[in-house]
Amino acid sequence: MQQLEDRDIEWIARNVDVIAVVGLSPNETRPSWGVARYLQAKGKTIIPVNPGHAGGTILGRTVYASLTDIPKDAGVQMVDVFRQSSAVAGIVDEALTNLPDLKVIWTQLGVRDDVAAAKAGGAGVTVVQDRCPKIEFPRFL
């Protein structure tokens, strides 16, 4: 299982360019901000999703209230989830319905929902749970 997940993470790190970060905080001391800034520094396009800051900017990018509000042609390939595990099912449903280029659902450390992961996987989406791209990507970039 570890080898398979490592191959998936390597593919994601090298091939995914547009990432919606659900729960991205404008607070530079929050983990979500640090991870998003790292991804941006690696050339990834970040799309912030945070209803409390919708219409503003975080890391120079327009913030959307939800995944549904992101333009369909934005090319979101990955959703990185900085929310509680109980929110994952709804995020997965919204992503599957509204993001035509979706390839990956990624949940951060301590966040997992195996039922939602199975649903996404069944729809052909790669799922990585309870991991952090800022920790995992350096092995492959």
Side-chain angles (χ1 to χ4, degrees):
M1 182 66 179
Q2 181 64 39
Q3 274 188 323
L4 177 61
E5 194 164 76
D6 280 351
R7 278 193 301 243
D8 287 342
I9 291 169
E10 180 178 13
W11 184 90
I12 294 163
R14 293 184 177 169
N15 296 289
V16 168
D17 296 316
V18 182
I19 303 170
V21 182
V22 178
L24 179 54
S25 173
N27 182 340
E28 295 179 19
T29 65
R30 302 290 299 173
S32 63
W33 191 92
V35 170
R37 179 66 192 106
Y38 166 81
L39 293 169
Q40 219 177 29
K42 292 298 178 185
K44 310 300 184 184
T45 298
I46 299 304
I47 300 179
V49 178
N50 184 324
H53 298 280
T57 60
I58 300 175
L59 292 168
R61 303 287 304 180
T62 299
V63 181
Y64 293 92
S66 69
L67 295 173
T68 304
D69 295 332
I70 298 171
K72 301 270 190 268
D73 64 356
V76 174
Q77 298 167 292
M78 177 172 133
V79 174
D80 188 6
V81 181
F82 280 93
R83 296 281 315 279
Q84 294 179 347
S85 296
S86 60
V88 172
I91 292 166
V92 166
D93 287 344
E94 187 179 12
L96 292 174
T97 301
N98 295 288
L99 302 175
D101 299 309
L102 184 68
K103 306 267 187 274
V104 179
I105 297 287
W106 188 298
T107 66
Q108 285 294 321
L109 296 171
V111 180
R112 78 179 298 123
D113 180 328
D114 293 335
V115 173
K119 182 175 188 175
V125 174
T126 299
V127 178
V128 178
Q129 297 191 95
D130 193 21
R131 306 282 286 268
C132 177
K134 187 177 177 185
I135 294 169
E136 303 297 336
F137 281 16
R139 295 184 292 145
F140 306 109
L141 294 178

